Amino acid sequence: MPVKFDKKFLFLVVLFAGSFIPLYARDILIIVEDTDLGLPLEGALIRSWDGQEYTCDAEGKAVIPAPEDRQAVIQIAYPGYENGRLVVPVTGNQFTLGLRMSGILENQELVIEVQKPGTSETRTGRSVAISDRELTQTAEIGIIEDVMTSIKLLPGVGYSGMFNALPSIRGGEPGDLMAAFDGFYISNPYHWGGGASIFDPRMVKSAQLSHGVFSARYGHTISGLLEISSRRPSTTETEAELGISSSATNLNLSFPLWGKGGVMVMGKTTYWDPFIALAKPFVPEVRYVKTAPYIRSAALSVDYRFTPNLELTANSFIGIDGVGAFYENSAKDAHKLESNSDMDFDWDNSLGFFIAGVTVNPLPAIAVKGTIGTGFNRADLGAYIRNYVKVWYSDAFKAKWGHFLEYQENKEYYEISDETQRIADSATVFNVQGRVDLDWDFGKGFLFAFGFQELYTQMKDNAKVHAFLEQKAPPSLGLPPELYLHYPFDYTIDVMNQTMTTSAYTAAEYASPNKRFGAELGLRLDHLYFVGKDFTIQTYPAFNPRLNLDFNILKDVSFIDSLSATVGTGLFSSMNDTINYIENRYGIKDFDLKQNRSWTSVVGTKIDFTGGFSFNIEGYFKYIFDRAYMYGNLQPGATDVAVYKFDGEGIISGFDFMLQKLESRYWDGWISYTFTYARYRNPQGDPSSSINSNWYYPSFHRFHNLNLILNVKPIRQLNITTRLGIVSGRPKALVGSIESYPVLLYDPAAPTNPENGVIIEKWKRSSVYSDNERTTWSIPLDIKVSWYFFNPQGKVQGELYVAVENLMSLVYKAQANTSFNSYTGQEETGSDAAAYEMPLPMPSIGFKWSY
């Protein structure tokens, strides 16, 4: 039976669909060129929103219409090159799109479509994006090719060192950075416990760091959100990419699926053994590596479009990493010290995830996306330290503390024989999550969004620790107050905690027809329910309203293409890893547990100049409250080894800017600067700490972060990339003079005193927090020289590069406090590390081939 439509219904459908056609259009010049060589790409077909077709001329240029009342996204595919996308803003009349050579793509077209909310882009006051080309230049370098290497160069990101992928985002705690891979939350996307991220540049299309007042679509962070867009397979051609460097090999293979999708397989393996072998004669710390650090990973990406309105995607990842070390040392100094010690350390880690998503367009103005996925992370740590020491009492000690030696049989020296500390820890995290998002374009600049998300996490940890601690004798033991205790301390962790986080959001966006004004209003609700082995904890929901206002002040005036300003404010919530180890014995009741909260406000402006320059500056203020923190209760005989509180606060303010020279023939790059003022406070802090409940600068805080990234292309085949950082120091303790003190070998099971115990001499120096003490400045410098080659008539292109990281270490190293031997008081030469760096330059070479 045929379906009938009356004329009124048909008229409404036509009118409804017509309301989404842009009311205004302008002509823009599109220039398409080879990213690496700067050559114009002649012959691309372009289809505009009005159905007209255009062709790039011999200079790679085409003039096409574009909507004037909203942003548009240009999608382009040129024979022999990867697909590309470029966000076309409502201001500016000329745009350049660079493509990288890949495989032959026949009969592909350039399509302009309205941008989908939530796609990767730089937006003042909200986020800053980095493209695949920028990732290639700044992340595909060195012994670890990592997207986080590029992210750490962006404004608002604090310097963390070479082997630390956990930077502070605008003064926030490093662990609060949340990652979302195609919308799937990954709270711990790291190898080596945070030394490197799992995001290899070859599996990433683009990355976006949201550190302002970003959309209510996302949550689970009070500092920053890293949105990763996965690389998609070709729909028409088989492609291959092989990367071989001095420390790793990568292989990508892509296969089309009947012109409607594709499958991409990626693999990576590292081999640091040669580097470790070469470094051992020069770096003492490397001599004790028994298992070279390694990473093995594989990823799968599937994309299939059944119809123009129905698309299915799936991504999976599996990775393992580890490292092992064995240390032996002996020392002998006549009538001062004899010692033998050894240490064994093994770390093994595995993680993975699987995501499936479907996008449906039931109507031209409605997009519905559903995503479901699961992930896991398992880490195993085993280590021991065994010490034997024989130490002679110094004359100064006997003169000052000799009365403690009165009852000892031997008054000349003491021995600690085979004192062993051990740890065995196995932790597993498993999660399942799903989300549904709906975007509805009502036309005339109005868009509404709704969504629902559920995140279930299960955390298991089994650990046994046998350690020896030292602290001043508590008054309750009735011992002399100047005496310190050295005692064994055993504790176990046996937890299986589960959290269920339910989230819902709604958002409304508006852009005026001439794009002079825009607004985004959203409300997000996050609720956490905590389930332990034998207890549950209920919490209050967190309501997070957010508002952004955008103003386009100038357009096409003299040398200014556009001048815009943004103001925004909003609330955010998250839970940090502190709560993972909550047990029933700690007495946390319903509604005691709170989500971390922050109130963030941002004001910013962006100027796009003629000639391809762009300048963006933002100032911000954040007030953090209800922050979870924990401190230890390590008194002799204690059973409750942790104290949990949920009233921490912080005050953060600062500004950052980015001056960028957009991609051009001979040079491009950017300068980013970040100033951060961050103070934290734990109102019920550890009474044994010198900070206690006072305000303090956190250990990761740095006032100044300056980055310069410069790409120079003297000829088309040659690219020279320089990364220079100038970074102020982080807090360090204020230390005093080194002095000896008496320590009693104490047994909590059979209380000991100076009359029946052994007194040993050890050395200490006072170490207290100070607002005024800082490590020296860090100056990281990296250089990469790339040579590109290709066959214009074929499908093959390649790159050969030579790079050196940490080049400044030849002449300068950041300095912190010196260390000393706690048994003899002898101060060591040099200083503790001021950052996670190797004390020497890190050279690397690499070769990349693609078909």
Side-chain angles (χ1 to χ4, degrees):
M1 180 177 177
V3 179
K4 297 182 179 179
F5 299 96
D6 59 31
K7 294 182 179 180
K8 181 179 180 181
F9 177 82
L10 184 60
F11 173 76
L12 292 175
V13 169
V14 173
L15 181 63
F16 185 76
S19 67
F20 298 106
I21 299 176
L23 300 178
Y24 306 93
R26 72 187 194 280
D27 287 337
I28 60 174
L29 175 64
I30 299 296
I31 304 174
V32 183
E33 63 180 28
D34 184 292
T35 293
D36 301 318
L37 304 178
L39 297 172
L41 300 180
E42 179 183 2
L45 292 177
I46 302 173
R47 180 178 297 162
S48 182
W49 54 270
D50 59 3
Q52 299 297 314
E53 292 186 352
Y54 306 86
T55 303
C56 291
D57 60 19
E59 296 181 346
K61 298 180 179 179
V63 177
I64 63 175
E68 195 171 53
D69 63 334
R70 70 187 71 183
Q71 289 183 333
V73 175
I74 294 177
Q75 297 179 331
I76 184 171
Y78 185 80
Y81 287 77
E82 294 179 348
N83 294 338
R85 292 171 63 88
L86 173 70
V87 177
V88 178
V90 295
T91 58
N93 298 315
Q94 178 176 318
F95 305 93
T96 299
L97 181 62
L99 299 182
R100 300 173 61 192
M101 186 174 287
S102 179
I104 298 296
L105 303 178
E106 303 290 348
N107 302 321
Q108 298 299 295
E109 299 171 343
L110 178 67
V111 181
I112 294 184
E113 62 180 20
V114 175
Q115 178 198 5
K116 295 181 180 179
T119 54
S120 178
E121 60 171 318
T122 296
R123 302 187 68 186
T124 303
R126 299 169 178 82
S127 60
V128 57
I130 188 164
S131 67
D132 57 345
R133 178 185 178 274
E134 293 165 333
L135 288 174
T136 299
Q137 296 299 330
T138 58
E140 293 183 13
I141 174 176
I143 56 177
I144 294 296
E145 298 184 353
D146 185 359
V147 167
M148 287 304 300
T149 303
S150 298
I151 297 300
K152 290 189 288 186
L153 302 174
L154 297 177
V157 182
Y159 176 71
S160 60
M162 183 187 302
F163 294 107
N164 186 356
L166 289 160
S168 168
I169 308 299
R170 284 186 170 172
E173 293 185 351
D176 192 69
L177 175 64
M178 174 63 76
F181 188 88
D182 286 347
F184 181 86
Y185 290 111
I186 308 174
S187 60
N188 187 36
Y190 303 107
H191 294 297
W192 299 330
S197 84
I198 66 173
F199 302 124
D200 186 280
R202 293 174 178 82
M203 65 184 285
V204 174
K205 180 64 178 176
S206 64
Q208 175 177 298
L209 177 65
S210 299
H211 50 26
V213 182
F214 53 85
S215 171
R217 293 177 175 87
Y218 288 98
H220 302 294
T221 179
I222 62 173
S223 297
L225 174 72
L226 178 60
E227 297 179 65
I228 300 293
S229 298
S230 65
R231 190 174 173 182
R232 299 295 178 87
S234 170
T235 60
T236 58
E237 292 296 326
T238 299
E239 300 175 341
E241 182 177 315
L242 175 65
I244 301 175
S245 72
S246 52
S247 58
T249 294
N250 299 266
L251 177 63
N252 291 11
L253 297 174
S254 176
F255 306 96
L257 295 176
W258 307 289
K260 293 187 175 182
V263 177
M264 179 179 289
V265 181
M266 294 161 277
K268 173 181 179 178
T269 182
T270 63
Y271 33 83
W272 275 34
D273 303 80
F275 174 79
I276 295 295
L278 291 172
K280 281 185 177 182
F282 308 101
V283 185
E285 295 83 356
V286 175
R287 298 175 188 173
Y288 307 108
V289 174
K290 68 174 184 179
T291 302
Y294 66 88
I295 295 174
R296 312 281 188 265
S297 64
L300 175 68
S301 177
V302 180
D303 182 20
Y304 193 82
R305 184 176 289 275
F306 293 91
T307 70
N309 298 319
L310 177 62
E311 181 180 15
L312 175 68
T313 60
N315 287 279
S316 63
F317 173 87
I318 184 72
I320 59 174
D321 60 85
V323 63
F326 181 76
Y327 171 90
E328 285 184 303
N329 184 56
S330 62
K332 188 172 183 179
D333 190 350
H335 299 292
K336 286 187 178 180
L337 169 71
E338 292 181 9
S339 69
N340 289 286
S341 61
D342 59 271
M343 179 200 73
D344 190 78
F345 170 88
D346 287 289
W347 161 275
D348 293 290
N349 181 66
S350 59
L351 70 163
F353 59 81
F354 173 79
I355 317 165
V358 60
T359 302
V360 182
N361 297 98
L363 292 173
I366 297 178
V368 181
K369 183 175 182 179
T371 304
I372 190 170
T374 182
F376 79 94
N377 182 197
R378 179 186 174 94
D380 294 289
L381 170 65
Y384 75 81
I385 301 175
R386 182 168 50 235
N387 290 314
Y388 162 79
V389 294
K390 180 180 181 180
V391 184
W392 277 260
Y393 297 108
S394 67
D395 293 337
F397 181 85
K398 288 189 285 188
K400 184 175 183 180
W401 307 107
H403 57 284
F404 284 126
L405 305 179
E406 181 180 353
Y407 301 98
Q408 291 196 187
E409 181 178 345
N410 191 327
K411 299 179 177 59
E412 297 300 320
Y413 63 85
Y414 67 87
E415 291 182 281
I416 300 178
S417 180
D418 291 332
E419 181 179 86
T420 303
Q421 304 184 74
R422 296 181 181 276
I423 179 172
D425 188 5
S426 179
T428 303
V429 178
F430 169 77
N431 75 78
V432 178
Q433 53 186 290
R435 60 184 296 162
V436 176
D437 302 272
L438 183 147
D439 294 316
W440 192 334
D441 189 342
F442 276 75
K444 296 185 178 180
F446 288 96
L447 183 143
F448 291 90
F450 314 88
F452 174 83
Q453 303 165 13
E454 186 70 34
L455 172 60
Y456 166 81
T457 302
Q458 180 189 88
M459 189 273 188
K460 295 181 180 180
D461 196 342
N462 294 281
K464 291 184 178 181
V465 179
H466 176 71
F468 285 87
L469 305 181
E470 188 176 297
Q471 66 173 333
K472 208 161 190 180
S476 59
L477 296 180
L479 296 172
E482 65 270 29
L483 200 61
Y484 283 72
L485 304 182
H486 178 89
Y487 58 94
F489 192 88
D490 293 278
Y491 67 93
T492 62
I493 298 174
D494 184 14
V495 298
M496 190 189 75
N497 291 330
Q498 304 168 80
T499 59
M500 285 166 280
T501 305
T502 302
S503 306
Y505 73 87
T506 181
E509 299 178 16
Y510 171 73
S512 62
N514 57 8
K515 208 66 175 185
R516 291 292 186 181
F517 173 73
E520 180 181 0
L521 176 64
L523 175 63
R524 183 180 180 88
L525 169 68
D526 293 298
H527 175 260
L528 173 73
Y529 185 64
F530 190 98
V531 179
K533 271 190 172 182
D534 51 0
F535 67 103
T536 62
I537 303 175
Q538 183 60 271
T539 69
Y540 290 112
F543 290 88
N544 298 312
R546 300 170 195 175
L547 173 66
N548 282 288
L549 301 176
D550 303 302
F551 305 91
N552 193 340
I553 301 171
L554 293 177
K555 178 180 177 182
D556 298 327
V557 176
S558 184
F559 57 88
I560 298 177
D561 283 343
S562 68
L563 169 62
S564 60
T566 297
V567 293
T569 188
L571 289 172
F572 299 83
S573 62
S574 72
M575 291 305 306
N576 59 29
D577 292 340
T578 299
I579 71 168
N580 287 344
Y581 298 94
I582 290 177
E583 297 181 55
N584 194 23
R585 57 176 164 160
Y586 299 132
I588 300 173
K589 307 299 182 184
D590 284 345
F591 308 110
D592 288 345
L593 175 61
K594 300 176 182 178
Q595 299 185 55
N596 301 334
R597 305 297 305 279
S598 75
W599 171 45
T600 300
S601 297
V602 178
V603 58
T605 185
K606 182 181 180 183
I607 308 176
D608 291 327
F609 299 96
T610 57
F613 287 91
S614 178
F615 178 74
N616 185 80
I617 185 169
E618 298 178 14
Y620 57 90
F621 174 84
K622 291 197 288 188
Y623 174 63
I624 296 174
F625 57 100
D626 292 345
R627 180 176 56 85
Y629 60 94
M630 176 191 72
Y631 59 87
N633 176 26
L634 304 179
Q635 300 290 336
T639 56
D640 296 343
V641 297
V643 177
Y644 289 86
K645 300 297 180 182
F646 304 96
D647 58 355
E649 54 185 334
I651 294 177
I652 303 172
S653 61
F655 70 92
D656 46 61
F657 69 76
M658 184 174 186
L659 174 62
Q660 185 173 17
K661 174 66 169 71
L662 302 179
E663 181 185 344
S664 66
R665 167 62 186 84
Y666 291 102
W667 71 279
D668 53 64
W670 71 84
I671 298 174
S672 67
Y673 171 76
T674 301
F675 172 80
T676 305
Y677 175 88
R679 300 274 279 175
Y680 283 68
R681 178 173 175 261
N682 301 331
Q684 302 179 68
D686 185 355
S688 66
S689 167
S690 61
I691 297 176
N692 199 351
S693 59
N694 299 315
W695 288 94
Y696 64 94
Y697 294 108
S699 61
F700 51 82
H701 173 255
R702 298 178 188 268
F703 282 110
H704 308 281
N705 290 267
L706 176 67
N707 292 296
L708 168 65
I709 294 85
L710 179 63
N711 295 306
V712 178
K713 296 167 279 188
I715 59 177
R716 297 184 186 277
Q717 291 85 4
L718 180 64
N719 190 99
I720 303 172
T721 299
T722 301
R723 307 185 313 202
L724 173 65
I726 303 176
V727 187
S728 63
R730 56 181 177 83
K732 70 174 184 177
L734 175 65
V735 298
S737 59
I738 302 171
E739 56 185 18
S740 65
Y741 64 102
V743 180
L744 172 64
L745 299 184
Y746 184 79
D747 184 359
T752 318
N753 58 57
E755 296 183 9
N756 61 15
V758 176
I759 298 293
I760 67 174
E761 176 188 12
K762 292 191 73 175
W763 295 78
K764 67 179 177 66
R765 65 182 175 192
S766 61
S767 177
V768 297
Y769 170 82
S770 172
D771 282 346
N772 302 316
E773 292 292 311
R774 295 265 165 173
T775 62
T776 59
W777 289 56
S778 296
I779 310 177
L781 173 63
D782 309 323
I783 296 177
K784 176 185 178 182
V785 180
S786 299
W787 181 268
Y788 299 95
F789 57 90
F790 72 103
N791 179 2
Q793 307 301 322
K795 305 178 182 181
V796 175
Q797 79 165 2
E799 174 192 357
L800 177 66
Y801 76 79
V802 178
V804 181
E805 298 176 280
N806 201 27
L807 190 59
M808 282 295 293
S809 64
L810 289 172
V811 296
Y812 175 81
K813 299 179 181 67
Q815 301 294 304
N817 288 324
T818 58
S819 58
F820 64 96
N821 189 310
S822 62
Y823 290 105
T824 65
Q826 182 176 355
E827 191 169 15
E828 307 289 346
T829 59
S831 84
D832 293 342
Y836 292 88
E837 302 288 9
M838 289 290 286
L840 75 168
M842 307 288 284
S844 61
I845 59 174
F847 171 79
K848 185 167 62 175
W849 173 91
S850 62
Y851 171 87

